[in-house]
């Protein structure tokens, strides 16, 4: 969960996290935020300090009275006293803006592991119709054959695996893969799908992704 009142920063954070295969929810209405947190029950919170209705440190203390969710402060207010108070109020980590994306992702991963909130071990391998997708290693396997995927290839397949009983519209896939881009040529999606089909053919899997003309794509139904 992202609790950040600046829309541009909020969108950038959401895009970064989704590109790293996290599920993301962002608070956009800042009344009764602690109640929203309780209702949505996130696995981790990225929390700004300067919020419109309530100071982030006070909000952290309020959340802490009812929940043990990990909280990482992410703020431009980076002096030592602010950091100390943030940790004393119950924060699990403190990161100053501007942040480096790789450092932020590493710190998120470390907090999730330390607090036992990481869900990757049970959700990292998906299987459909004899094809296994490992989103941690970006590998695709059928039988004894394995092939490596690029980040976008893995992301697209992951989305299709999660919606394997549905026809996924092209626009949904474009927004999922490139939601942080101003404009993406529709052809980019076709190119990515064709590359995945090429990877699948390397492990002797044919017609795994079906094209539904005028609609989108769907994984082949189980035989």
């Amino acid at each position: 969960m992202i609790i950040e009142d600046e829309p541009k920063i909020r969108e950038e954070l959401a895009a970064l996290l989704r590109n790293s295969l996290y599920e993301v929810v962002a608070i956009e209405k800042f009344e009764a935020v602690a109640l929203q947190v309780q209702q949505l029950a996130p696995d981790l919170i990225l929390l700004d300090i300067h919020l419109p209705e309530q100071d982030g440190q006070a909000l952290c203390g309020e959340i802490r009275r009812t929940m043990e969710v990990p909280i990482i402060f992410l703020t431009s207010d980076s002096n030592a006293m602010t950091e100390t108070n943030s940790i004393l109020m119950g924060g699990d980590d403190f990161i100053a803006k501007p942040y480096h994306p790789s450092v932020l992702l590493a710190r998120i991963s470390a907090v999730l592991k330390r607090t036992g909130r990481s869900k990757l071990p049970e959700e990292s391998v998906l299987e459909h119709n004899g094809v296994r997708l490992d989103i941690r290693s970006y590998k695709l396997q059928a039988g004894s054959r394995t092939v490596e995927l690029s980040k976008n290839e893995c992301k697209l397949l992951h989305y299709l695996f999660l919606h394997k009983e549905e026809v996924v519209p092209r626009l949904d896939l474009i927004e999922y893969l490139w939601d942080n881009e101003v404009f993406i040529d529709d052809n980019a999606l076709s190119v990515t799908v064709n590359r995945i089909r090429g990877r699948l053919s390397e492990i002797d899997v044919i017609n795994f992704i079906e094209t539904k003309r005028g609609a989108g794509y769907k994984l082949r139904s189980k035989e």
Side-chain angles (χ1 to χ4, degrees), residues 128 156-170 172-173 208-212 215-222:
H128 177 72
L156 190 151
L157 263 180
H158 183 229
Y159 197 84
L160 290 176
F161 268 81
L162 292 176
H163 300 82
K164 58 189 176 184
E165 304 301 327
E166 311 165 24
V167 176
V168 179
R170 290 178 62 88
D172 285 8
L173 288 168
F208 187 69
I209 301 175
E210 299 177 351
T211 300
K212 302 296 183 180
Y217 298 100
K218 183 181 184 299
L219 295 188
R220 185 182 63 203
S221 301
K222 288 189 176 181

Side-chain angles (χ1 to χ4, degrees), residues 48-49 72-79 83 93-101 103-104 107:
D48 189 17
I49 288 180
I72 297 178
F73 281 94
L74 188 61
T75 177
S76 56
D77 191 352
S78 59
N79 65 69
E83 181 172 357
D93 203 347
F94 183 98
I95 302 174
K97 300 173 185 173
Y99 58 86
H100 193 286
V103 173
L104 174 61
R107 302 275 279 272

Side-chain angles (χ1 to χ4, degrees), residues 29-113:
K29 295 181 179 179
F30 292 89
E31 302 84 13
V33 175
L35 180 60
Q36 295 182 63
V37 172
Q38 203 166 24
Q39 291 172 338
L40 294 168
D43 290 303
L44 182 140
I45 295 171
L46 294 179
L47 177 60
D48 189 17
I49 288 180
H50 301 293
L51 299 171
E53 299 293 331
Q54 184 180 22
D55 176 86
Q57 292 177 338
L59 175 59
C60 177
E62 187 177 348
I63 293 169
R64 276 285 169 263
R65 287 196 285 271
T66 58
M67 300 179 71
E68 292 299 321
V69 56
I71 296 173
I72 297 178
F73 281 94
L74 188 61
T75 177
S76 56
D77 191 352
S78 59
N79 65 69
M81 183 61 72
T82 302
E83 181 172 357
T84 300
N85 289 337
S86 298
I87 300 302
L88 289 174
M89 289 300 292
D92 293 271
D93 203 347
F94 183 98
I95 302 174
K97 300 173 185 173
Y99 58 86
H100 193 286
S102 62
V103 173
L104 174 61
L105 291 172
R107 302 275 279 272
I108 288 172
S109 178
V111 169
L112 286 171
K113 288 177 182 176

Side-chain angles (χ1 to χ4, degrees), residues 170-171 174 178 183-191:
R170 290 178 62 88
L171 183 59
I174 290 170
W178 297 290
F183 175 76
I184 287 293
D185 188 339
D186 183 69
N187 188 54
L189 178 61
S190 300
V191 170

